[in-house]
Amino acid sequence: MDIFLSALDILMRWDVALALLVGSVGGVLIGAIPGVGPAVAIAILLPATFSMDPIVGLTVLLGIYGSSMYGGSIPAILINTPGTAVNALTTYDGYPMTSRGEPKRALSLAYSSSFFGGIFSVLCLILFAPVLAKVAPMFGSREIFLAALLGIVLVVVAHRGQSLIAGALACFGIFLQTIGMEPVKYSQRYTFDQPFLQSGINLIVVVLGLFALSQAFVLLTTEDEKIRTTKLRGGGLFQGLRELARHPRVATVSASFGVLMGMIPGVGEFTAQFMSYTYAQRTSKRPQDFGRGSSEGLIAAETSNNAVPAAAMVPLLALGIPGEALTAMMLSVFYVHNVVPGPALFQNDMDFVVALYMALLILNVLVLIFLLFATRSLIQVVKIPNRFLGVCILALSFVGVYSLRNSATDCVLAAVFGLVGYVLKRLSLPSVPIILGMVLGGIMEVKLRAGMARVKSPLDMIDRPVSFILFLIIVAVLVMHVRRIWLERREVKEAEWQFKRRSTSFGAMLLRRRSSFLTERGKLVRARRLEWFRRLTGLF
């Protein structure tokens, strides 16, 4: 009870209340503008949060992270264009509802589902907090090193079809982190006698380049589309809460998927969404309605993606390991204020952790109230021209980069990484592994050096229960990934074989003969021939 009162006292400050309001409203606005997204907004705001208290800065960033998904559903439902990448699945059933004249019902159901997912995940985290407080002290240097290594492995494996390039980009991020003065003996690495490289490459410079500047370049090089907004007709915006109550199973399971996937580094909203959507479709009484305006499909998509942000804070707070680019940006806020996330945070600053959870609860309530009364005005946001947005993002990004260290060199480096990010976007390649490689690479280096003091042989790295379990998980993930690649390649070879055999008359005859033995008639023929063979052998 004392911890709860102390956390409540932290939230009662005027600057925290203002951060809650700015984060919730600003996140909705950012999410409602197609082409911007929370990563760009957080990257731009990150330098400004360094001058704030940790709770204030993190509240603003968390507000933008979580509430942007609420706002992203507005253009996804009304104009079939997702405001953020994670709202892509919302278009499957949201826009068909709008097409048949039910935009209010779709928006109301999306808001209610998002609200339920956000509240459900925060309540789960509050219940798990005592467990995390007991488990976190079991993680020493070796365990945190293995957990960070697991995070990189999961990030690489999560990019299906792009695992090799994701691994290469993660290694590139680790390499960027090694540039400058190394943390133990302060010797120079990869500086080439250049003064601006001695202090290393700043994470915020890379983040602003890869996310904000690259997106500005994309917006500046694309033409504006003519957007027709839909008038809100149909029932009231409050009816979604009643309709959500009619599907408690889908909502609860989808939110649970969001919580579980959010806790696993590198997985995130997309996996949670598709698992929830598949579950809802398979267990629905009307699976044929999915993709044509199914309320269950919309609930599954929106509930699962909004349950992820709060759950993604678990590995960050408990172990100091970010699972995605947005939480990696938040980690820098901790480091600037000398607040080290990890096992000690749950032991020494439990009121700070509870205050963050309570802030997430309040954010979801504020966003729901704002959206229920301001949706009509927010519809006009989607009409902002792309090039105007691109110029604004470009200007704000360079201002943010220069304000870090008053360095023009940082602006040049940000522009270079902006071009790299632009090329990656054009090639449909991921840029997140670079950021996670920089963050997790630094953690791995420090923890490995600290843990090696007690390591006499390789087996000493996994001689404790937690480290051994993490090692087994890493091996299991790699084995399953290799097995999946082998099965996919075998299917491709099988398909190629069938295609080649079909292309010749002889091959077609072989294929028909092979297929005939798989039918019922083929089974009878084989049984008759087997009986003849037995009679023939009986004669001898």
Side-chain angles (χ1 to χ4, degrees), residues 122 180 201 210 233 250 301 344 363 405 415 457 495 503 512:
V122 175
I201 295 179
L210 288 177
R233 298 187 298 270
V250 175
L363 280 168
R405 297 185 290 194
S457 66
S503 62
R512 287 195 301 271

Side-chain angles (χ1 to χ4, degrees), residues 20-32 38 59-73 84 87 114 306 309 360 363-364 366-368 370-371:
L20 286 168
L21 185 62
V22 171
S24 58
V25 176
V28 172
L29 292 172
I30 293 297
T59 301
V60 173
L61 300 183
L62 277 174
I64 292 173
Y65 180 18
S67 58
S68 63
M69 298 178 193
Y70 283 86
S73 63
T84 65
N87 292 108
S114 298
N306 270 72
L360 284 169
L363 280 168
N364 280 280
L366 288 175
V367 171
L368 183 66
F370 174 71
L371 284 173

Side-chain angles (χ1 to χ4, degrees), residues 323 407 450 486:
S407 171
W486 179 74

Side-chain angles (χ1 to χ4, degrees), residues 43-185:
I44 293 173
L45 286 174
L46 205 54
T49 59
F50 292 164
S51 60
M52 305 176 186
D53 286 345
I55 185 66
V56 179
L58 287 170
T59 301
V60 173
L61 300 183
L62 277 174
I64 292 173
Y65 180 18
S67 58
S68 63
M69 298 178 193
Y70 283 86
S73 63
I74 297 174
I77 290 171
L78 296 182
I79 62 174
N80 202 25
T81 303
T84 65
V86 298
N87 292 108
L89 203 59
T90 307
T91 61
Y92 286 18
D93 294 287
Y95 186 69
M97 285 187 181
T98 300
S99 301
R100 64 176 185 235
E102 297 177 318
K104 269 193 177 181
R105 178 192 171 206
L107 286 173
S108 176
L109 194 57
Y111 298 160
S112 304
S113 303
S114 298
F115 177 74
F116 177 81
I119 296 297
F120 181 89
S121 63
V122 175
L123 292 177
C124 287
L125 294 182
I126 291 175
L127 293 175
F128 290 156
V131 179
L132 290 174
K134 293 180 180 178
V135 173
M138 298 179 184
F139 282 77
S141 298
R142 285 170 283 177
E143 287 79 8
I144 294 178
F145 165 76
L146 289 171
L149 179 61
L150 175 62
I152 287 185
V153 170
L154 288 172
V155 168
V156 173
V157 169
H159 291 86
R160 295 191 61 176
Q162 296 179 322
S163 300
L164 190 60
I165 189 65
L169 291 172
C171 292
F172 177 62
I174 295 173
F175 167 73
L176 290 177
Q177 182 273 328
T178 61
I179 295 174
M181 305 284 284
E182 58 96 5
V184 178
K185 297 183 178 179

Side-chain angles (χ1 to χ4, degrees), residues 126-412:
I126 291 175
L127 293 175
F128 290 156
V131 179
L132 290 174
K134 293 180 180 178
V135 173
M138 298 179 184
F139 282 77
S141 298
R142 285 170 283 177
E143 287 79 8
I144 294 178
F145 165 76
L146 289 171
L149 179 61
L150 175 62
I152 287 185
V153 170
L154 288 172
V155 168
V156 173
V157 169
H159 291 86
R160 295 191 61 176
Q162 296 179 322
S163 300
L164 190 60
I165 189 65
L169 291 172
C171 292
F172 177 62
I174 295 173
F175 167 73
L176 290 177
Q177 182 273 328
T178 61
I179 295 174
M181 305 284 284
E182 58 96 5
V184 178
K185 297 183 178 179
Y186 299 102
S187 57
Q188 296 186 21
R189 300 184 298 193
Y190 306 111
T191 57
F192 304 104
D193 295 328
Q194 299 297 320
F196 70 92
L197 290 177
Q198 290 180 359
S199 58
I201 295 179
N202 195 308
L203 174 66
I204 310 305
V205 173
V206 180
V207 166
L208 281 165
L210 288 177
F211 290 96
L213 291 178
S214 65
Q215 188 61 32
F217 296 152
V218 170
L219 292 171
L220 288 170
T221 54
T222 54
E223 296 183 357
D224 295 326
E225 297 180 2
K226 292 183 179 179
I227 297 173
R228 293 182 179 180
T229 55
T230 306
K231 292 184 179 180
L232 294 183
R233 298 187 298 270
L237 289 171
F238 289 93
Q239 72 173 8
L241 293 169
R242 294 191 296 270
E243 190 168 358
L244 179 69
R246 293 199 290 269
H247 302 284
R249 176 183 52 80
V250 175
T252 305
V253 173
S254 300
S256 301
F257 276 129
V259 171
L260 290 174
M261 294 301 107
M263 290 181 182
I264 303 174
V267 179
E269 295 90 350
F270 292 103
T271 306
Q273 276 186 315
F274 282 102
M275 290 178 69
S276 304
Y277 195 84
T278 303
Y279 168 81
Q281 187 173 20
R282 289 182 177 177
T283 58
S284 174
K285 295 179 180 178
R286 297 183 59 85
Q288 67 275 12
D289 291 345
F290 280 70
R292 301 177 181 177
S294 170
S295 57
E296 291 178 280
L298 187 58
I299 289 171
E302 285 295 308
T303 305
S304 56
N305 67 20
N306 270 72
V308 170
M313 296 299 292
V314 170
L316 179 67
L317 294 175
L319 303 176
I321 296 173
E324 55 183 359
L326 299 179
T327 48
M329 297 181 204
M330 295 179 197
L331 183 63
S332 62
V333 180
F334 282 100
Y335 286 157
V336 165
H337 295 282
N338 293 321
V339 178
V340 181
L345 187 65
F346 280 83
Q347 293 177 324
N348 305 327
D349 296 305
M350 193 63 188
D351 54 345
F352 178 81
V353 176
V354 174
L356 273 180
Y357 291 163
M358 292 172 64
L360 284 169
L361 277 174
I362 298 169
L363 280 168
N364 280 280
V365 176
L366 288 175
V367 171
L368 183 66
I369 295 171
F370 174 71
L371 284 173
L372 290 176
F373 292 101
T375 297
R376 293 183 185 276
S377 302
L378 283 173
I379 295 174
Q380 306 304 318
V381 173
V382 301
K383 295 182 179 180
I384 297 177
N386 287 342
R387 291 176 181 174
F388 176 76
L389 282 174
V391 171
C392 291
I393 293 171
L394 203 65
L396 291 173
S397 299
F398 278 120
V399 169
V401 171
Y402 189 77
S403 66
L404 287 172
R405 297 185 290 194
N406 297 331
S407 171
T409 306
D410 286 346
C411 294
V412 174

